[in-house]
Amino acid sequence: MNVKSTIDVSSEAIDRRERHSGPHLGAVATVYVVLFLAGLSFVTAFATNPSFPSPNASATSIVTYFQTYPEQVRISAFLSIGSLLVLGVFAASMASRFRFLGARSAWVDIMLFAGLITAFDQNLSHLCEWALTWPGITQSSPTTLVIYYLLYGSGGPGFAVPMGLFVGSISLIGARMKLLPAWIVWSGFVIALLGELSWLNLLFPTLGRLPLTIPLTRFPSFAWVIVVGFILPKTRAVSRT
């Protein structure tokens, strides 16, 4: 074999890439966000007036809302539960992608745990939402309020805290392995911090409210997971033996 052939073979060995077998992370993240926002749209002020009640609303306002808009709430729950199945797929696929790229850290397992807990808690929240649409449930104010506050706890702080851990774990792995740009990593750490601060909302009503920590975790994380899904490498270099 001449020198040129040797160089060509060596280049082929270095340049050969192996592609990860699994769903496209960017597409999965996009489906998750679109389904969730579609569900949310049915309980905003555009579809119901007023919009979905906040936890500091009066008991009468909360009960009246679910008595007045059961159909919109049911559709919202239907679409949102579908989105969280997709979030579980995203979390599992992300863990598989990191392992494929060579991650051996326990943070991969922590990230998978956090992603699945996020999906589970939010799923519980929307099942509570669905339960409130059944005839007769909202005729009992105490029953309605119990289900509503479980809905809020699991879908508010119960979503934001594990989502913060999920985003933070991805950022940490991406930084250590140099798989993600610095601006993605640092924005992920900010989202993670806000998510963990949302834990303090569970001390209500004994603590002053921190309501913005939940939406500031939820909505930036939507854009963040889509971007990460599209830019995380899909292939790795392999040598031919």
Side-chain angles (χ1 to χ4, degrees):
M1 181 181 295
N2 59 35
V3 175
K4 184 177 184 302
S5 298
T6 303
I7 293 174
D8 290 342
V9 171
S10 299
S11 297
E12 183 182 6
I14 293 171
D15 294 341
R16 196 168 73 87
R17 312 289 295 180
E18 183 179 7
R19 179 174 290 273
H20 178 245
S21 177
H24 190 291
L25 291 175
V28 173
T30 301
V31 172
Y32 156 61
V33 172
V34 168
L35 277 175
F36 190 94
L37 293 179
L40 185 63
S41 70
F42 280 88
V43 290
T44 62
F46 295 104
T48 63
N49 190 14
S51 60
F52 199 87
S54 65
N56 61 346
S58 67
T60 301
S61 298
I62 293 170
V63 173
T64 300
Y65 182 86
F66 291 102
Q67 289 175 339
T68 307
Y69 301 109
E71 294 300 326
Q72 291 90 332
V73 171
R74 185 178 297 115
I75 296 171
S76 173
F78 170 77
L79 292 170
S80 299
I81 287 172
S83 77
L84 296 162
L85 294 174
V86 181
L87 177 59
V89 172
F90 179 82
S93 300
M94 181 66 74
S96 176
R97 176 74 62 82
F98 275 135
R99 293 190 179 106
F100 170 79
L101 294 171
R104 297 292 182 267
S105 170
W107 283 104
V108 176
D109 297 312
I110 294 170
M111 180 269 295
L112 177 59
F113 165 78
L116 295 179
I117 289 295
T118 302
F120 175 83
D121 283 0
Q122 190 75 49
N123 196 61
L124 174 60
S125 175
H126 292 297
L127 286 174
C128 290
E129 185 181 23
W130 170 79
L132 287 170
T133 68
W134 279 87
I137 294 293
T138 55
Q139 301 311 308
S140 169
S141 294
T143 300
T144 300
L145 293 174
V146 166
I147 296 175
Y148 171 79
Y149 287 117
L150 179 58
L151 178 161
Y152 168 74
S154 55
F159 168 87
V161 174
M163 176 56 88
L165 182 58
F166 180 62
V167 169
S169 299
I170 294 173
S171 298
L172 185 60
I173 299 166
R176 287 182 172 180
M177 298 184 66
K178 295 180 172 55
L179 297 172
L180 297 172
W183 68 273
I184 282 287
V185 170
W186 287 107
S187 60
F189 286 149
V190 171
I191 293 171
L193 176 61
L194 289 167
E196 302 321 299
L197 286 175
S198 299
W199 190 9
L200 296 174
N201 285 274
L202 292 174
L203 292 177
F204 296 157
T206 59
L207 182 72
R209 299 186 183 279
L210 296 169
L212 289 179
T213 58
I214 295 173
L216 287 176
T217 301
R218 188 187 309 278
F219 296 105
S221 73
F222 288 164
W224 194 88
V225 295
I226 291 175
V227 173
V228 168
F230 277 103
I231 69 175
L232 191 69
K234 305 176 184 66
T235 61
R236 65 181 180 187
V238 294
S239 58
R240 180 174 298 175
T241 57

